[in-house]
Amino acid sequence: MAVATTTETGARPSWSGRRPSIPAWTGTVPFLAYVVVFLLWPTGIVVVDSLKNPNGNWALSNITELGNPLVRGYFIGSFKLCLLSSALGAVLGAILAYAVASGNPDGVVRRLYLASSGVLAQFGGVTLAFAFLVLIGPVGLLFHASWYFEFPWGIGLIYTYFEIPLMVLVFLPAIDGLKVQWREASENLGASAWQYWRYVGAPLLAPAFLGGTLLLFANALSAFATIQAWENQISYIVPQQISTALSSEVGLSSVNVADLLALGMVVMVAIVMTGYALLQRRAARWLR
């Protein structure tokens, strides 16, 4: 039994019993449960159902449908759209991030840009498509763009709108780290700007920039509501065709086809995010 003892100086009593220790991993249980329920479980359902036929029997030959020219066209369309929007978003976002980092780190402008980027990076869907439609669409208020409904340029411009602020949020820490190391190199080593950029700047920013571009690519890959509001009659990308396979009223609906297309997207996202993680790990070494 624990016994309370009092010190001569009148300090708070200390208890001689040992408190029960709580494993360090206990705090991760809610997160792991969230990952299992909302990520691993749905992914497992998609993988299993994609390898079955409508009768519920195993049909491993379904995987060959990914090589179908029609299915391949949807993936090529997704790749074109993601490549266009991520490249434009990465370049413009990196320039904007550099402009933000050049200012006062505690200034109002920086806080305003970061707050705005956090909001605009999540601004998409029907609202964004409608905003562009009334601004530069065929009956737009600003001007009437003849290329607005051309794929991938029309929808690529809309996707770039939320890709740029996301790149600002992702790329800004790398530029901040570069500024800190530049001050240390110039003060302690007397390095010139060219020497610093060659040995420190490029190795730091290149992985961060490429990693941010891959993140933008994955972000555009899964976007659906924006392009569906932009054009709901023709399927250009995989998410649109998944929607058609799930809800078609003209005999094109097939849950197994939707699962197979989703499996292809899971593979694409896994490859892209693996590359992003490797590049971010390399950039993190320089930030330390």
Side-chain angles (χ1 to χ4, degrees):
M1 182 176 67
V3 179
T5 58
T6 307
T7 61
E8 296 180 358
T9 58
R12 181 177 298 177
S14 61
W15 299 87
S16 59
R18 178 178 296 178
R19 296 181 179 179
S21 59
I22 300 177
W25 52 265
T26 304
T28 64
V29 171
F31 173 74
L32 293 176
Y34 176 84
V35 171
V36 170
V37 173
F38 293 101
L39 180 61
L40 298 182
W41 190 9
T43 302
I45 293 174
V46 166
V47 173
V48 171
D49 289 348
S50 66
L51 301 178
K52 291 184 177 181
N53 58 28
N55 297 325
N57 300 321
W58 290 101
L60 301 181
S61 59
N62 286 355
I63 202 72
T64 59
E65 285 299 314
L66 291 176
N68 185 301
L70 187 61
V71 174
R72 189 165 62 244
Y74 298 130
F75 281 96
I76 293 175
S78 293
F79 184 82
K80 288 180 179 179
L81 177 59
C82 296
L83 183 63
L84 173 63
S85 60
S86 61
L88 290 176
V91 172
L92 298 177
I95 295 174
L96 183 58
Y98 177 80
V100 173
S102 301
N104 183 0
D106 299 320
V108 177
V109 175
R110 181 188 176 98
R111 293 199 298 269
L112 180 62
Y113 266 92
L114 291 180
S116 301
S117 296
V119 174
L120 295 178
Q122 307 300 323
F123 182 62
V126 178
T127 307
L128 180 61
F130 176 74
F132 271 86
L133 177 65
V134 299
L135 185 65
I136 64 172
V139 291
L141 299 175
L142 184 60
F143 59 88
H144 310 317
S146 59
W147 48 263
Y148 181 78
F149 281 112
E150 293 181 5
F151 181 86
W153 299 103
I155 188 64
L157 175 63
I158 302 177
Y159 273 43
T160 304
Y161 185 84
F162 57 76
E163 297 280 49
I164 292 175
L166 180 59
M167 186 63 179
V168 172
L169 298 176
V170 173
F171 196 58
L172 187 59
I175 299 181
D176 287 337
L178 184 67
K179 289 176 60 179
V180 172
Q181 294 194 16
W182 162 243
R183 287 196 298 266
E184 295 177 353
S186 60
E187 293 174 359
N188 301 330
L189 304 177
S192 65
W194 166 245
Q195 289 175 326
Y196 177 75
W197 171 254
R198 179 180 178 183
Y199 294 106
V200 179
L204 172 63
L205 292 185
F209 179 81
L210 294 176
T213 304
L214 289 178
L215 181 61
L216 267 58
F217 187 96
N219 184 50
L221 184 65
S222 59
F224 166 72
T226 303
I227 191 172
Q228 187 68 7
W230 176 77
E231 174 57 77
N232 61 3
Q233 300 297 322
I234 303 175
S235 295
Y236 291 104
I237 64 174
V238 177
Q240 285 182 297
Q241 186 58 27
I242 291 176
S243 175
T244 300
L246 290 175
S247 59
S248 176
E249 298 179 355
V250 292
L252 299 177
S253 60
S254 174
V255 175
N256 298 98
V257 171
D259 288 324
L260 185 62
L261 293 172
L263 176 61
M265 288 196 64
V266 168
V267 174
M268 290 182 65
V269 171
I271 295 174
V272 171
M273 295 313 297
T274 299
Y276 170 74
L278 294 175
L279 289 169
Q280 285 298 101
R281 179 181 298 179
R282 181 171 181 179
R285 297 197 196 106
W286 289 92
L287 290 175
R288 289 196 298 266

